[in-house]
Amino acid sequence: MALDKYKLAQRIARELKDGYYVNLGIGIPTLVANYIPDGINVTLQSENGLLGMGPFPEEGQEDPDLINAGKQTITTLPGSAFFDSALSFGMIRAGKVDLTVLGAMEVSENGDIANWKIPGKMVKGMGGAMDLVASAKNIIVAMMHTNPKGESKLLPECSLPLTGIKCVKKIVTDLAVIEIVNNQFKLLERAPGVTVEEIKSKTAGKLIVEGEIPEMKF
Amino acid sequence: MNKVFKNADDAIKDVQDDAVIMIGGFGLCGIPENCLKALVKKGVNNITCISNNAGVDDFGIGLLLKGRQVKKMIASYVGENAEFERQLLSGELEVELIPQGTLATRCMAAGYGMPAIYTPAGVGTEVAAGKESRVFNGKEYLMEYAFDAGFALVKAWKGDKLGNLIYKETARNFNPLMAMGGKITIAEVEELVEPGELDPNQVHTPGIYVHRIFQGTNYEKRIEQRTVRSKKS
């Protein structure tokens, strides 16, 4: 069965390593913070100027001066630090952030990503996405395998305007975990009960399947 | 020289039509509320705003958009404003969307006296169109120019009469960068104090960058996305 967005976030959380500095994008990536495995300590970076982001505040404790990049009210954890937007993208550009998780509309075999603009629709802007994908050492895309029309989002080439080129390393979808190796999608894991055939049929780009593909473990 | 102005109307009184203005804040967090309202009141037109966002329909830069005072918006994300969308689609408003880190660094470069910076953000995308690029250590970077803005409007938590500023929490965001980057920087603060009352170790923006300062009033500090957790968890 395909994963729901919570299970998807839970699977991505297993990619976290102790000591990581992590930037989580808006949407499913934000949910990853709820599933950080026991014994793993990570520091969350919010690109509007905070390291050490904590959970949402309790009701009545909301502080308008303390928000995340999605403009949601948040809290800080002990040991957090505030900084300006240039420093924030400075640490991103310099490769200090260990992992970036973000959503996408399309990903191509060579790791190009499109997630900011659909021609003909109102364009809201790229925000920090182009900066993040251009510099992050390790980018995981969290997305559904197909779009609402049922079309594959894993393509030989992106059709939408690009956010960044040759940058995605791994993709976790509701159906599979896929790695990008030598300009190809390589199937690593499948969602419980989902067959390799189904994943193949919903992947428009070339999919490499080597040996037995294990089910994701939770 | 006296930098202290009595209020926002007084501080922005020489901002003219066609001005290029940096406006601090991220979403509605840390925006110069008093100065924005004063610009609406003064009716300055044809302005170019450099700001990460464009406010919401009835607050922040949204107030300037409502009065059709904005000619061009330079921003990274503008998704929260229906009037903005209407003006964009009807062609009344010119919009330049640029990556957030590029926006921040172009402000910073202006304050650092550097004409341009190199960044990998946007390489291989439509953002790169027409821009000079250069390869350093095998990686491609775009050259992006420092902003040239006549005014910067910023909001700080505390400031002294010499213009030294301290920001609070994530309301810092673009404010110190724009404070550095404007030719004339106007700071509004929640608390204006005497020189000596701020700890020099804690100052974020040295007063040399700030030309005018005033004590702001009636801060609304609107929250865009109020998110809370239950007390049990």
Side-chain angles (χ1 to χ4, degrees):
Chain A
M1 215 177 73
L3 305 181
D4 63 17
K5 62 182 182 179
Y6 303 100
K7 278 281 178 197
L8 207 165
Q10 197 178 345
R11 173 59 192 83
I12 290 174
R14 287 183 35 217
E15 303 287 323
L16 301 172
K17 295 198 170 66
D18 196 38
Y20 263 16
Y21 290 97
V22 182
N23 182 292
L24 300 175
I26 293 164
I28 295 171
T30 304
L31 298 173
V32 173
N34 300 332
Y35 301 100
I36 299 168
D38 289 341
I40 302 277
N41 284 303
V42 301
T43 303
L44 299 180
Q45 199 247 21
S46 190
E47 66 266 24
N48 57 317
L50 168 63
L51 272 168
M53 178 165 52
F56 295 148
E58 288 184 355
E59 202 168 342
Q61 302 297 307
E62 309 95 307
D63 177 351
D65 290 325
L66 184 50
I67 62 169
N68 64 17
K71 287 119 187 167
Q72 297 170 311
T73 45
I74 46 149
T75 56
T76 55
L77 294 174
S80 64
F82 295 114
F83 35 84
D84 66 55
S85 300
L87 189 65
S88 182
F89 285 96
M91 63 184 71
I92 288 165
R93 221 179 279 123
K96 306 294 180 188
V97 174
D98 298 291
L99 175 65
T100 293
V101 183
L102 76 180
M105 298 170 188
E106 295 177 348
V107 178
S108 73
E109 292 169 359
N110 66 349
D112 291 354
I113 177 171
N115 73 352
W116 77 285
K117 183 175 183 179
I118 300 174
K121 290 206 176 162
M122 165 68 186
V123 181
K124 294 181 171 185
M126 65 292 278
M130 284 194 181
D131 306 273
L132 281 158
V133 301
S135 298
K137 284 182 289 193
N138 192 4
I139 298 176
I140 297 179
V141 165
M143 67 177 191
M144 295 297 142
H145 212 93
T146 56
N147 67 21
K149 289 187 213 157
E151 298 160 342
S152 180
K153 295 168 74 171
L154 294 96
L155 306 169
E157 274 178 47
C158 292
S159 64
L160 295 169
L162 296 177
T163 307
I165 53 169
K166 296 177 188 159
C167 52
V168 177
K169 302 279 191 294
K170 203 176 249 187
I171 307 156
V172 180
T173 75
D174 52 335
L175 304 181
V177 179
I178 286 167
E179 196 177 18
I180 292 184
V181 195
N182 300 326
N183 298 322
Q184 289 170 322
F185 296 125
K186 186 179 176 194
L187 184 58
L188 297 183
E189 294 175 28
R190 56 200 169 84
V194 172
T195 63
V196 171
E197 282 62 40
E198 182 182 353
I199 296 164
K200 249 185 190 165
S201 73
K202 290 180 174 170
T203 305
K206 190 159 196 274
L207 186 71
I208 306 297
V209 182
E210 282 173 4
E212 266 316 282
I213 303 299
E215 279 192 357
M216 297 179 200
K217 289 197 179 62
F218 289 97
Chain B
M1 196 190 98
N2 177 40
K3 294 184 179 182
V4 181
F5 283 63
K6 65 173 186 286
N7 55 33
D9 294 334
D10 192 25
I12 63 123
K13 65 173 180 274
D14 59 346
V15 179
Q16 304 292 337
D17 290 356
D18 304 305
V20 178
I21 311 174
M22 290 174 170
I23 299 169
F26 184 95
L28 301 178
C29 180
I31 59 172
E33 295 183 20
N34 286 245
C35 283
L36 288 169
K37 282 181 185 153
L39 285 179
V40 172
K41 194 168 144 196
K42 186 172 189 287
V44 189
N45 285 312
N46 261 336
I47 54 183
T48 296
C49 291
I50 301 169
S51 173
N52 190 54
N53 311 95
V56 295
D57 278 311
D58 60 346
F59 198 56
I61 293 175
L63 297 172
L64 289 168
L65 288 163
K66 207 183 208 170
R68 303 194 186 176
Q69 292 171 265
V70 184
K71 177 181 71 178
K72 183 176 180 182
M73 188 77 221
I74 299 173
S76 87
Y77 189 84
V78 293
E80 297 96 355
N81 193 316
E83 176 60 13
F84 180 95
E85 187 171 344
R86 193 197 63 72
Q87 291 184 21
L88 173 65
L89 296 174
S90 70
E92 290 165 62
L93 179 69
E94 202 184 324
V95 178
E96 188 182 342
L97 292 169
I98 59 180
Q100 196 173 127
T102 302
L103 182 74
T105 313
R106 289 177 67 188
C107 294
M108 189 192 81
Y112 273 36
M114 301 189 300
I117 54 116
Y118 283 96
T119 176
V123 167
T125 77
E126 63 184 52
V127 165
K131 286 178 184 158
E132 199 177 316
S133 76
R134 206 173 147 175
V135 174
F136 296 95
N137 301 319
K139 183 168 172 163
E140 190 180 349
Y141 295 78
L142 300 181
M143 188 175 80
E144 299 276 7
Y145 291 103
F147 283 121
D148 182 9
F151 292 91
L153 309 179
V154 303
K155 152 83 198 320
W157 179 30
K158 294 177 183 178
D160 70 20
K161 291 179 172 176
L162 297 177
N164 294 301
L165 303 176
I166 296 176
Y167 308 91
K168 191 177 172 210
E169 301 167 341
T170 56
R172 190 182 317 184
N173 56 63
F174 285 84
N175 281 301
L177 308 163
M178 292 182 170
M180 289 197 296
K183 283 208 180 63
I184 295 176
T185 291
I186 302 170
E188 57 175 89
V189 296
E190 289 177 53
E191 203 181 319
L192 183 62
V193 301
E194 293 297 328
E197 287 185 47
L198 299 180
D199 176 355
N201 287 301
Q202 306 299 326
V203 169
H204 297 130
T205 297
I208 191 168
Y209 285 115
V210 178
H211 307 88
R212 303 173 189 175
I213 188 165
F214 67 94
Q215 165 84 60
T217 54
N218 299 318
Y219 282 106
E220 276 187 59
K221 293 199 181 183
R222 284 202 205 170
I223 292 174
E224 238 170 305
Q225 307 283 343
R226 186 179 299 274
T227 43
V228 294
R229 71 189 136 120
S230 63
K231 289 198 173 170
K232 282 173 279 177
S233 63

